[in-house]
């Protein structure tokens, strides 16, 4: 017997931020930047080193009397594709005795599930870069896992 469980998820929404500047003059440093255009790159242009257009955002000037113009969750992170497979083979030993072998392959094709990119505009060396993976719901690891089981039924 063979089975599969597949699930696909679109990218998690996020927004850029900045730190160290008080544009509103209220004593609150950091927040959302100014937005000039859509910061989402077309899928064919997205890479792990440049996931979104950082030129679409700018840190507001100090003490200008207002907050940044960007809304929340205006960018889309990497999606998720997960394939789990399982195999089972039964061997009859006698009339009422059966040996069963189970093999479960979690993340069978080992596609990485990337986390959202770094989004702090105050850190120009890492902003827009995807630097980590995320775990799937049922796993504590982002890599392939194989589980083998043997069952003797009598």
């Amino acid at each position: 017997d063979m089975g599969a469980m597949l699930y696909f998820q679109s990218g998690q929404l996020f927004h850029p931020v900045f730190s160290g500047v008080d544009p509103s003059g209220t004593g609150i440093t950091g927040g959302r930047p100014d937005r000039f255009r859509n910061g989402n790159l077309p899928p064919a242009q997205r890479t792990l080193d440049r996931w979104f257009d950082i030129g679409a955002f700018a840190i507001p000037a100090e003490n200008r009397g207002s907050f940044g113009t960007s809304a929340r969750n205006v960018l889309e992170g990497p999606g998720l594709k997960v394939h789990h497979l399982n195999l089972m083979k039964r061997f009859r030993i006698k009339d009422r005795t059966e040996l069963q072998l189970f093999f479960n392959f979690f993340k069978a094709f080992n596609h990485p599930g990337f986390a959202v990119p770094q989004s702090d505009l105050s850190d120009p060396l890492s902003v827009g870069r995807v630097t980590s993976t995320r775990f799937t719901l049922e796993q504590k690891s982002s890599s392939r896992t194989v589980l083998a089981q043997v069952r003797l039924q009598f």
Side-chain angles (χ1 to χ4, degrees):
D1 296 330
M2 188 166 107
M5 183 176 78
L6 313 170
Y7 61 92
F8 303 96
Q9 181 181 7
S10 62
Q12 181 179 350
L13 298 177
F14 70 102
H15 55 270
V17 296
F18 66 90
S19 57
V21 177
D22 176 16
S24 63
T26 60
I28 300 172
T29 58
R32 291 192 294 270
D34 286 333
R35 179 177 173 201
F36 305 111
R37 61 183 174 272
N38 183 359
N40 287 297
L41 291 173
Q45 293 180 16
R46 294 178 185 167
T47 66
L48 296 181
D49 287 327
R50 186 172 181 257
W51 191 262
F52 64 93
D53 179 9
I54 59 174
F57 304 94
I59 297 174
E62 183 87 25
N63 289 318
R64 73 175 190 185
S66 66
F67 295 101
T69 59
S70 181
R72 293 185 69 238
N73 298 330
V74 294
L75 298 172
E76 183 178 355
L80 189 63
K81 298 174 187 166
V82 180
H83 306 83
H84 299 315
L85 301 175
N86 60 54
L87 300 170
M88 184 186 78
K89 178 68 178 167
R90 298 174 190 203
F91 299 96
R92 288 253 184 241
I93 297 173
K94 292 185 178 181
D95 288 341
R96 292 185 164 183
T97 306
E98 182 177 87
L99 181 69
Q100 298 175 349
L101 299 177
F102 297 92
F103 295 96
N104 295 308
F105 301 89
F106 301 101
K107 290 194 77 173
F109 302 120
N110 211 21
H111 292 290
F114 293 111
V116 296
Q118 301 295 322
S119 62
D120 189 347
L121 296 175
S122 304
D123 185 2
L125 296 178
S126 68
V127 67
R129 297 182 69 202
V130 177
T131 58
S132 63
T133 57
R134 62 180 173 160
F135 302 142
T136 58
L137 296 173
E138 71 280 352
Q139 290 185 275
K140 294 181 173 73
S141 169
S142 62
S143 61
R144 178 187 308 127
T145 305
V146 179
L147 175 66
Q149 297 173 311
V150 177
R151 179 177 169 180
L152 181 63
Q153 188 172 321
F154 54 93

